[in-house]
């Protein structure tokens, strides 16, 4: 494969001369998007189920409040496996390439989600029901630990450098398509009478995952390897131990990546999972909660690529900083409004927090995290940053939040403080991260370690309108 990059989104410039590149770019976008859709269909579905029905199904012996905590704890368990999966598959992706790893992760993640729909409940087999649920959740998390990092890396490496923010954000539309699909399906199943919902209807959305697995595997099996990894192999620069290389050269950027993710990942699960459960206890119907998530996901389908496109013009840092600030500003009024249990207010809060706050950060992050790391350790670098933060932010947020609600008798203000702290951590981190817009992804050094000549080459490669004058051969 020729490892040069196309000129723009339509494949003009080089696209007219090389239709293969344009075709592979489209295929990479589709492959990454379907994988993202499956991952977040699984995770949004599990999050909704753990917040609304898993307590009764798998922890019937506990009281209502503690059953919710236990149910959300199984949700958090998946995040414990994500860093392990990120390290394992991330290192494999930097040694063997992106494509083979993405085939494995999608099968593992989707297969575990499908099997959740076949589990017996606590009333049927007692303690073994939650044990099996936790095991499948661990498998799901292990696969997901490298799935999103791989999709992010693949798309950033395929994208034209001057429009990398926009292109790299396109697969993340799959996040909200998956969330929308999960919330839509869940809204429908929660409309049925409780005796049917808790007997067999709850299984249907999980079993449906097998359809998405089949589609994703078929698409990815026809995908070619990313251009920058081909370049790495051609230069014989692939290393045997990416984890050791990461620990030696990239610890600072891993920490920066973790800080960047605290408000984006933690805020997402705090509002989308715990926020809905909190609003339901305040009077919002289960179907109303799913509708609120669905509406915010529809708006996010537009705001994610918009944020990515803006980051191509003004830089990654200003866009990221804006998203963190939105989370901080919406924290106190948002959780107060959720305590009303009214669907209109829930829709407004989730749309502002998720579709604008979280999505501004996500749109910039799609290109920024891969741009932070050198070519030999990019997959493991992105996976480490994403998945360690997923434990510290996304995994802990619903559990700690549910505990805070339990000990304060559903007071809204402790959760507002928590959300504000997450936003402040990310906002502060943006002042310690180098601007990465337009960085050459074939460089072996991390961002911040580029030579003056490399930096000058990056800046001079862009004209006033962001057009690329040079290409990577």
């Amino acid at each position: 494969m020729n490892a040069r990059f196309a000129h723009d989104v339509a494949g003009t410039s080089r696209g007219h001369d090389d239709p293969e590149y344009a075709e592979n770019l489209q295929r990479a976008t589709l492959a990454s998007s379907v994988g993202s859709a499956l991952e977040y269909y699984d995770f949004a579905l599990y999050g909704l189920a753990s917040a609304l029905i898993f307590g009764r199904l798998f922890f019937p012996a506990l009281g209502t409040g503690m059953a919710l905590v236990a149910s959300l704890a199984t949700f958090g368990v998946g995040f414990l496996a994500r860093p392990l999966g990120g390290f394992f598959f991330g290192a494999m992706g930097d040694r063997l390439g992106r494509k083979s790893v993405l085939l494995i992760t999608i099968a593992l993640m989707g297969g575990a989600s499908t099997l959740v729909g076949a589990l017996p409940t606590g009333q049927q087999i007692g303690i073994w029901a939650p044990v099996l649920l936790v095991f499948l959740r661990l498998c799901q998390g292990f696969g997901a630990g490298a799935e999103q990092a791989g999709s992010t890396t693949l798309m950033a490496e395929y994208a034209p450098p001057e429009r990398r923010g926009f292109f790299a954000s396109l697969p993340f539309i799959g996040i909200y398509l998956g969330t929308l699909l999960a919330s839509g399906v869940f809204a429908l199943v929660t409309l049925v009478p409780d005796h049917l919902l808790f007997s067999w209807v709850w299984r249907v959305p999980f079993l449906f995952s097998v359809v998405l697995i089949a589609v994703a595997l078929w698409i990815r099996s026809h995908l070619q390897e990313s251009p920058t990894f081909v370049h790495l192999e051609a230069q014989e620069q692939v290393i045997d131990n990416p984890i050791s290389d990461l620990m030696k050269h990239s610890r600072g950027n891993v920490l920066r990546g973790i800080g960047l993710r605290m408000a984006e990942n933690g805020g997402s699960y705090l509002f989308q999972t715990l926020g809905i459960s909190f609003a339901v206890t305040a009077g919002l119907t289960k179907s109303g909660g799913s509708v609120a998530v669905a509406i915010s996901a529809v708006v996010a389908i537009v705001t994610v690529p918009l944020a990515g496109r803006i980051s191509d013009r003004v830089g990654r840092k200003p866009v990221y900083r804006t998203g963190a600030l939105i989370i901080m500003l919406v924290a106190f009024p948002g959780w107060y409004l959720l305590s009303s249990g009214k669907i209109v207010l829930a829709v407004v809060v989730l749309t502002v927090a998720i579709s604008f706050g979280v999505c501004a950060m996500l749109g910039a992050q799609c290109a920024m995290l891969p741009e932070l790391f050198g070519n030999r350790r990019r997959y493991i670098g992105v996976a480490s940053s994403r998945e360690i933060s997923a434990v510290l932010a996304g995994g802990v947020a619903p559990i700690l939040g549910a505990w805070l609600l339990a000990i304060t008798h559903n007071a809204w203000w402790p959760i507002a403080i928590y959300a504000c702290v997450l936003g402040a951590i990310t906002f502060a981190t943006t002042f310690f991260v180098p601007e990465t817009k337009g960085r050459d992804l074939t460089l072996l050094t991390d961002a911040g370690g580029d030579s003056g000549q490399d930096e000058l080459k990056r800046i001079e490669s862009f004209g006033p309108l962001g057009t690329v004058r040079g290409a990577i051969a």
Side-chain angles (χ1 to χ4, degrees):
M1 178 193 295
N2 193 320
R4 296 178 61 199
F5 290 99
H7 176 267
D8 69 13
V9 64
T12 59
S13 184
R14 181 177 170 249
H16 288 306
D17 300 324
D18 190 354
E20 181 187 6
Y21 173 85
E23 181 182 348
N24 286 327
L25 179 61
Q26 293 174 358
R27 188 179 291 121
T29 303
L30 183 59
S32 299
S33 299
V34 172
S36 297
L38 176 58
E39 177 182 356
Y40 277 82
Y41 172 81
D42 288 346
F43 269 72
L45 184 64
Y46 197 101
L48 287 167
S50 62
L52 300 176
I53 64 172
F54 273 0
R56 178 171 164 181
L57 286 169
F58 292 96
F59 304 95
L62 302 179
T64 303
M66 291 309 298
L68 174 62
V69 172
S71 179
L72 289 174
T74 68
F75 180 74
V77 161
F79 289 92
L80 297 178
R82 291 183 67 140
L84 299 177
F87 276 107
F88 180 80
F89 289 118
M92 185 184 296
D94 280 325
R95 292 198 314 268
L96 305 178
R98 322 311 189 200
K99 175 182 174 178
S100 58
V101 171
L102 286 172
L103 285 169
I104 297 170
T105 57
I106 201 75
L108 178 60
M109 184 178 61
S113 184
T114 302
L115 290 175
V116 168
L119 282 179
T121 65
Q123 290 183 338
Q124 294 172 317
I125 61 171
I127 190 64
W128 286 106
V131 168
L132 291 173
L133 180 66
V134 168
F135 172 74
L136 290 177
R137 179 64 175 162
L138 287 170
C139 292
Q140 189 185 58
F142 193 73
E147 168 61 32
Q148 201 62 63
S151 295
T152 301
T153 300
L154 178 77
M155 204 57 237
E157 291 178 340
Y158 256 108
E162 81 280 12
R163 303 199 67 183
R164 187 180 292 138
F166 172 71
F167 266 101
S169 68
L170 291 181
F172 283 73
I173 293 175
I175 289 176
Y176 293 99
L177 287 175
T179 301
L180 179 61
L181 181 60
S183 57
V185 170
F186 208 80
L188 290 177
V189 300
T190 54
L191 292 176
V192 304
D194 277 1
H195 72 279
L196 292 177
L197 173 63
F198 288 97
S199 62
W200 64 271
V201 173
W202 70 270
R203 302 179 183 276
V204 175
F206 289 96
L207 296 174
F208 179 71
S209 295
V210 72
V211 177
L212 293 177
I213 298 171
V215 173
L217 286 174
W218 183 82
I219 294 172
R220 288 185 176 182
S221 65
H222 293 80
L223 180 68
Q224 292 191 29
E225 188 54 79
S226 87
T228 59
F229 187 79
V230 171
H231 176 87
L232 195 68
E233 285 187 313
Q235 300 298 316
E236 297 183 350
Q237 294 171 329
V238 178
I239 55 177
D240 293 330
N241 194 342
I243 296 178
S244 176
D245 192 61
L246 182 79
M247 293 298 101
K248 182 177 180 180
H249 299 288
S250 302
R251 286 175 293 180
N253 276 346
V254 170
L255 291 176
R256 294 181 184 97
I258 291 170
L260 289 172
R261 289 264 294 162
M262 295 302 286
E264 176 265 317
N265 191 250
S268 176
Y269 285 107
L270 199 60
F271 280 96
Q272 187 170 285
T273 301
L274 186 66
I276 291 302
S277 177
F278 175 67
V280 167
T281 63
L284 184 68
T285 64
K286 293 183 177 68
S287 59
S290 297
V291 168
V293 173
I295 292 175
S296 68
V298 170
V299 179
I301 289 172
V302 177
T303 55
V304 169
L306 178 62
R309 183 173 182 179
I310 294 173
S311 77
D312 282 328
R313 291 181 174 271
V314 305
R316 317 296 185 214
K317 293 172 64 173
V319 176
Y320 218 114
R321 197 170 291 159
T322 300
L325 185 61
I326 290 173
I327 293 295
M328 295 169 66
L329 292 175
V330 79
F332 282 90
W335 281 91
Y336 173 74
L337 294 175
L338 286 174
S339 69
S340 69
K342 296 180 180 179
I343 185 172
V344 174
L345 296 180
V347 168
V348 171
V349 171
L350 260 67
T351 300
V352 174
I354 302 297
S355 307
F356 291 95
V358 169
C359 288
M361 292 181 280
L362 185 57
Q365 180 193 115
C366 298
M368 191 175 192
L369 283 186
E371 288 170 336
L372 279 175
F373 296 96
N375 198 16
R376 290 189 297 192
R377 51 185 175 271
R378 179 167 299 121
Y379 200 146
I380 185 66
V382 174
S384 300
S385 300
R386 287 186 58 85
E387 303 314 327
I388 294 174
S389 62
V391 175
L392 298 177
V396 171
I399 302 170
L400 179 57
W403 178 75
L404 289 172
L405 289 175
I407 66 172
T408 60
H409 305 290
N410 278 354
W412 61 268
W413 58 267
I415 313 299
I417 293 174
Y418 186 19
C420 195
V421 169
L422 290 175
I425 292 171
T426 293
F427 186 80
T429 302
T430 62
F431 291 93
F432 297 92
V433 178
E435 179 56 64
T436 61
K437 180 173 78 77
R439 190 168 187 267
D440 181 350
L441 295 188
T442 64
L443 293 174
L444 301 183
T445 55
D446 286 0
D450 298 341
S451 67
Q453 184 178 4
D454 290 332
E455 187 68 13
L456 182 62
K457 177 183 176 183
R458 178 172 73 90
I459 295 172
E460 289 183 345
S461 68
F462 292 90
L465 297 179
T467 55
V468 171
R469 296 204 300 266
I472 301 168

